[in-house]
Amino acid sequence: MLIRTYIPQMPLSMFVDYFWYMEAYNPSHPRELTLPDGSVEMIIDLGEDVIRLFDRHNRELVFGHAIVCGPHSEYFVINSTCASRVIGIHFKPGGIHPFLKERLDEIHNTHLPLHALWGSRISGLRDELLDSLVPEKMFQILERRLLSLAIRDLERHPAVQYVLNNLHGNRIGEIIEQVGISHRKFNQLFKEEVGMTPKRLNRIYRFQEVLRNLHFGETRSWTDIALECSYYDQAHFIKDFQSFSGLNPSEYKPISGRHYNHAAIFT
């Protein structure tokens, strides 16, 4: 399996975590659980003409070769037998906002064909990528194309940026008080630019901290992990974990070589 990543130059690096490329991925499991991190992902399959997904209710979703995964607070399942050569953009939470006319809460927990959001503006993109010989060249193409899709200045609302910078590990109400906007008005602004409320995103951040602990940390009791990640108790931790993953914590098994937001499904 070959995996390459690339962090774009400023100003895109303010909005994009990284560009990624993967090929020769042939796992033994037919499906893969994809766990939410509150971000948006743009995916272009360079090997297949169809992308097959399944939502948390096991409903099949079939798309063409290019999709956008809206900001997710729910898990979904991908068909891992058809991911032989794929490239994508992993945005930071709210990072895709300058490039879309749509509000981010309108595409919360949804998957959309790439052309449904950008139409003819992305015409020929896949062909241009296929003509490139190396991932580094593809990243340059994506970087240039993404810059051309900006419909507003590449900047965030300062109140949204402040809360994103200070959300994790702090009391949400206290942070919002500091931006000088009413809670109701700010929550609406945040949903439009990020796709969900600060409270929901904070829960996802905490869930992501658990995944990092399970993936990189030493073996510890569930109670220790729960308390370290700011859950009230073990029961609260397990309930949240099940809500975001559909699994009990002991059932979570990350895939070697993949991001910890992916877990194998063999049924």
Side-chain angles (χ1 to χ4, degrees):
M1 177 172 64
L2 173 67
I3 295 179
R4 293 284 187 270
T5 59
Y6 167 71
I7 298 175
Q9 303 297 312
M10 285 287 288
L12 282 184
S13 59
M14 297 171 57
F15 304 92
V16 173
D17 257 340
Y18 52 85
F19 294 11
W20 57 270
Y21 173 87
M22 181 176 66
E23 71 173 55
Y25 180 52
N26 298 298
S28 58
H29 51 273
R31 295 186 182 183
E32 212 163 280
L33 187 67
T34 303
L35 303 174
D37 67 359
S39 67
V40 170
E41 194 102 31
M42 187 178 106
I43 300 170
I44 301 174
D45 196 314
L46 302 173
E48 302 286 339
D49 289 329
V50 173
I51 295 175
R52 296 183 185 275
L53 308 171
F54 302 85
D55 67 16
R56 64 179 297 159
H57 306 292
N58 203 34
R59 293 177 297 208
E60 186 177 24
L61 309 172
V62 181
F63 299 93
H65 45 65
I67 64 171
V68 171
C69 303
H72 268 67
S73 56
E74 297 180 352
Y75 65 86
F76 59 93
V77 174
I78 62 175
N79 184 347
S80 53
T81 62
C82 297
S84 59
R85 193 167 178 236
V86 187
I87 193 167
I89 302 175
H90 188 82
F91 291 88
K92 295 180 177 180
I96 201 172
H97 175 69
F99 309 96
L100 291 182
K101 294 183 295 183
E102 292 78 6
R103 295 169 16 176
L104 267 289
D105 55 337
E106 293 178 348
I107 61 171
H108 177 227
N109 286 332
T110 64
H111 297 84
L112 296 166
L114 201 60
H115 64 77
L117 296 176
W118 288 303
S120 61
R121 300 178 69 193
I122 48 87
S123 176
L125 173 58
R126 185 171 183 258
D127 290 338
E128 192 175 357
L129 293 170
L130 287 169
D131 287 340
S132 303
L133 299 177
V134 294
E136 290 72 21
K137 178 64 175 177
M138 296 182 189
F139 293 148
Q140 293 174 11
I141 292 169
L142 281 181
E143 190 170 21
R144 184 175 67 250
R145 283 294 196 109
L146 184 58
L147 281 169
S148 73
L149 292 172
I151 61 171
R152 54 178 67 89
D153 291 339
L154 291 180
E155 59 185 18
R156 296 181 188 268
H157 190 289
V160 172
Q161 184 64 66
Y162 178 81
V163 171
L164 284 171
N165 290 345
N166 295 278
L167 186 60
H168 188 62
N170 293 300
R171 293 183 179 275
I172 296 171
E174 293 177 359
I175 300 171
I176 297 177
E177 289 288 345
Q178 296 172 23
V179 302
I181 302 175
S182 72
H183 286 227
R184 181 176 179 180
K185 184 176 180 180
F186 178 78
N187 278 332
Q188 185 58 43
L189 172 65
F190 196 89
K191 284 171 61 179
E192 291 176 6
E193 292 205 9
V194 179
M196 61 193 74
T197 64
K199 182 177 181 180
R200 184 177 293 270
L201 184 61
N202 195 43
R203 285 181 59 206
I204 292 174
Y205 280 173
R206 185 168 54 190
F207 170 66
Q208 287 288 313
E209 184 178 357
V210 170
L211 296 183
R212 285 191 292 272
N213 270 270
L214 294 177
H215 191 63
F216 298 114
E218 300 177 356
T219 302
R220 285 166 295 161
S221 71
W222 296 125
T223 299
D224 288 343
I225 292 175
L227 294 177
E228 183 175 325
C229 297
S230 304
Y231 288 94
Y232 301 129
D233 52 30
Q234 184 175 331
H236 178 212
F237 155 62
I238 292 174
K239 182 179 179 180
D240 231 37
F241 197 97
Q242 290 172 333
S243 173
F244 288 126
S245 70
L247 302 172
N248 290 317
S250 59
E251 297 173 319
Y252 166 71
K253 298 292 187 295
I255 302 165
S256 177
R258 293 281 272 146
H259 193 279
Y260 52 76
N261 277 331
H262 293 263
I265 299 176
F266 290 94
T267 56

